[in-house]
Amino acid sequence: MLRFIARRLFAGLATLFVSTFLMYLLVSVSIRPLDDLIESSAPNKQQLIAQRTELLDLNTPVIVRFFKWLASFVQGDFGTAWRTGQHVNSQLGTAMVSTIQLVLAASVLAIILGVGVGIISALRQYSTFDYIITFTSFLLYSLPAFWVAVLLKQWGAIGFNDFLKDPYLSALGIAGMAVIFGVLWMLAVGGDARRRLINFAGAAGITAALYTYLQVSNWWLEPNINPILLAVLGAGAAVGFTLLSTGLRNRRALGAAGTTVVIGVIAYFPLQYVFYNESFNWWWLLGLAALAAGIGILIGRLWGGPDWRQSSRAAALTAITMGGLTFVDQAMLYWGDYLKMSQIRGRPIATVGDRTPNLGGDFWISTLDTYTHLLLPTVALMLISFAAYTRYSRASMLEVMNQDYIRTARAKGLTERTVVMRHAFRNSLIPLATIVPMDLVAVFGGAIITEQVFGRPGMGQLFVKSLSMAEIDPVMAYLVVTAALAVLANIVADLIYAALDPRIRVNS
């Protein structure tokens, strides 16, 4: 393993060096930092040209300039944007934080939803649900990113902000949403007529009850997840994770997940004192998430049994979910204060930038502001990526389900859940092991249109702005970071391959 990683890193560094050299030559030829002075009518034009030539060291051969730049780059000095005088290190740091927030949120949601919906679509092949998902995914994949972003600005920001002035849902609207979700759930689960009717009634009833609760509790202006709702959502997560992981017949796993829910509800109250700590920050949050996962694993181990690892997995996922809901609840408590701030003016969903200027406030106000600015661009990227992952996962699952070992597993009498989750699901992820890492790199370096429409100062905007201003140092920093991530993505894809398929050995 270590030899493989070392060999791939060495090959990656060699590739990165050659590609960086070629990119430096191409960028040096493509940008023309003297054009504005050449076209100038200033009386001291020649003097200005000479000064800028000396500033940018343009009289030095480009190959020598490359090695000078490379020597500084490997020492951590990424250069300076000569027009603004800003250090590239600070520019790159700000842009990377903004882009990582966007890419991480959009990619995680797109992968989870896309893979899940794609697998269900494959299992329900040629059904009405499959046709709906196929049509929807092709439609979303075909839509221009800028058009999706503009629609989200109109309906997701302006429309929702107007709705918050008088948040009222009519009975007809609630009934319509209940019917839509009931039909979708009925089509996704399938079965005979009686089962379809039960699934429709259950999903429609739950949806109607949820929207009615949001309406009568004034949730839109005073959102919260109280301990009762936390227990209900946690119980649903426990059942869901146990069902997917081991099946509900595994009483130890179900008991471990249920115990985690009870402990999570009890921990809700002392956690309030932790959240109110003025020094609370993201490091605290990461520590609490790790602690929650550890407690879940411990609970699964204490329940014991020969399959305690499965119990631990279900309990750990439930614990992380409970912790996440508790964190969201705490952030929601500040929603009213956030709406009343003079910079927000009751219109929280932002359409431009990654933060509200001069907002002030503590950790929770800052967190709300970050996520309200992140919402629309995340949805824009997620919709397009969701469509692609849905198609990939559907095609991969269909191919796997037709393999001989799937028929053998069914012939042995295994349940359909075991066949799908234990034998088919893992193998269906192998093609995605190559697609997902490279897509992450592509989105990281190429969310230019989305960042432009929503005015986010990310990596794509840094590249476009620097290229238009003929600043080679920021452009090269962007290209090197993107190329390095591409090299790492290939290595990670190989390691994921080996983890998913035991026939693949990375040390061979």
Side-chain angles (χ1 to χ4, degrees):
M1 173 70 76
L2 293 178
R3 180 183 298 178
F4 167 80
I5 295 176
R7 188 169 63 247
R8 289 301 305 271
L9 285 176
F10 179 78
L13 288 175
T15 303
L16 189 60
F17 172 78
V18 174
S19 61
T20 301
F21 176 71
L22 294 177
M23 286 187 294
Y24 193 93
L25 296 181
L26 293 174
V27 172
S28 298
V29 172
S30 61
I31 65 174
R32 305 179 66 86
L34 299 179
D35 277 358
D36 59 325
L37 294 181
I38 294 175
E39 297 173 358
S40 173
S41 59
N44 60 339
K45 180 172 70 173
Q46 295 302 323
Q47 181 182 358
L48 294 175
I49 292 176
Q51 290 176 350
R52 186 175 296 180
T53 301
E54 182 180 359
L55 173 66
L56 301 179
D57 200 18
L58 297 180
N59 288 327
T60 303
V62 64
I63 296 178
V64 177
R65 275 190 280 133
F66 166 74
F67 283 103
K68 286 184 177 180
W69 169 85
L70 184 62
S72 300
F73 191 89
V74 297
Q75 296 177 35
D77 182 6
F78 297 168
T80 303
W82 61 270
R83 287 191 186 272
T84 61
Q86 290 182 297
H87 290 291
V88 177
N89 299 57
S90 61
Q91 285 184 316
L92 191 65
T94 302
M96 287 183 67
V97 170
S98 180
T99 297
I100 288 174
Q101 290 176 343
L102 177 60
V103 171
L104 186 63
S107 298
V108 170
L109 291 174
I111 291 171
I112 294 176
L113 295 177
V115 171
V117 172
I119 288 175
I120 296 174
S121 180
L123 297 176
R124 304 280 302 141
Q125 186 182 18
Y126 301 136
S127 65
T128 304
F129 178 80
D130 184 33
Y131 289 133
I132 292 175
I133 295 302
T134 300
F135 171 78
T136 303
S137 59
F138 275 119
L139 177 64
L140 292 175
Y141 194 76
S142 304
L143 293 179
F146 67 88
W147 191 69
V148 174
V150 170
L151 287 182
L152 286 173
K153 278 190 173 187
Q154 177 63 40
W155 301 107
I158 299 175
F160 184 76
N161 288 334
D162 291 340
F163 167 77
L164 288 180
K165 294 179 180 178
D166 183 19
Y168 173 75
L169 294 174
S170 65
L172 182 61
I174 294 176
M177 295 299 296
V179 170
I180 292 174
F181 281 101
V183 170
L184 288 177
W185 186 257
M186 176 187 70
L187 295 176
V189 176
D192 55 23
R194 179 174 177 275
R195 184 180 181 185
R196 287 171 178 262
L197 183 60
I198 293 174
N199 289 327
F200 170 79
I206 293 174
T207 303
L210 175 62
Y211 276 100
T212 302
Y213 168 78
L214 297 180
Q215 182 66 42
V216 300
S217 65
N218 198 28
W219 193 88
W220 302 106
L221 297 178
E222 299 176 359
N224 65 88
I225 302 177
N226 54 61
I228 297 177
L229 188 58
L230 177 66
V232 173
L233 295 175
V239 172
F241 288 132
T242 305
L243 178 63
L244 294 175
S245 180
T246 64
L248 296 180
R249 293 183 179 180
N250 191 325
R251 300 304 180 186
R252 293 182 183 273
L254 186 59
T259 303
T260 304
V261 174
V262 173
I263 294 177
V265 174
I266 295 173
Y268 173 88
F269 299 99
L271 279 175
Q272 305 305 310
Y273 296 98
V274 177
F275 290 146
Y276 280 121
N277 191 327
E278 293 183 358
S279 63
F280 188 86
N281 53 35
W282 289 106
W283 292 110
W284 277 80
L285 184 62
L286 291 175
L288 290 174
L291 178 62
I295 292 175
I297 294 173
L298 178 61
I299 292 173
R301 186 69 181 90
L302 292 176
W303 273 83
D307 56 351
W308 66 269
R309 289 181 177 83
Q310 297 177 354
S311 301
S312 294
R313 180 169 62 243
L317 292 173
T318 304
I320 293 175
T321 302
M322 293 290 291
L325 291 173
T326 305
F327 171 77
V328 171
D329 173 73
Q330 182 63 26
M332 285 179 173
L333 296 178
Y334 291 82
W335 181 253
D337 296 335
Y338 180 69
L339 289 178
K340 295 175 183 177
M341 300 187 77
S342 59
Q343 295 88 345
I344 304 302
R345 301 188 304 277
R347 305 185 68 82
I349 307 302
T351 59
V352 177
D354 61 350
R355 61 177 59 87
T356 302
N358 304 318
L359 180 65
D362 58 6
F363 170 82
W364 298 103
I365 294 295
S366 175
T367 299
L368 282 174
D369 188 59
T370 298
Y371 284 113
T372 54
H373 283 79
L374 198 61
L375 179 62
L376 295 186
T378 296
V379 173
L381 281 181
M382 185 198 71
L383 289 176
I384 298 173
S385 299
F386 163 81
Y389 290 138
T390 299
R391 304 308 304 157
Y392 291 142
S393 59
R394 179 185 182 277
S396 180
M397 178 60 83
L398 286 176
E399 182 179 358
V400 168
M401 294 299 290
N402 291 322
Q403 297 297 317
D404 291 338
Y405 60 84
I406 297 297
R407 286 190 286 269
T408 302
R410 284 173 171 159
K412 289 166 60 178
L414 298 179
T415 63
E416 189 65 14
R417 189 208 64 80
T418 302
V419 171
V420 173
M421 297 305 299
R422 293 276 185 91
H423 297 271
F425 177 68
R426 180 172 177 174
N427 290 317
S428 70
L429 295 179
I430 293 178
L432 293 174
T434 299
I435 297 170
V436 171
M438 297 308 298
D439 273 1
L440 290 176
V441 175
V443 174
F444 184 86
I448 298 175
I449 296 177
T450 303
E451 291 179 356
Q452 177 69 28
V453 175
F454 291 104
R456 290 188 65 87
M459 293 288 288
Q461 284 299 293
L462 175 65
F463 173 73
V464 172
K465 180 180 177 181
S466 301
L467 194 61
S468 64
M469 298 180 69
E471 295 176 325
I472 190 171
D473 285 350
V475 172
M476 286 304 303
Y478 165 86
L479 293 174
V480 172
V481 169
T482 305
L485 289 175
V487 171
L488 289 177
N490 277 285
I491 299 175
V492 170
D494 288 339
L495 296 177
I496 296 176
Y497 256 51
L500 294 175
D501 192 345
R503 296 172 299 176
I504 299 174
R505 294 290 181 266
V506 295
N507 57 355
S508 60

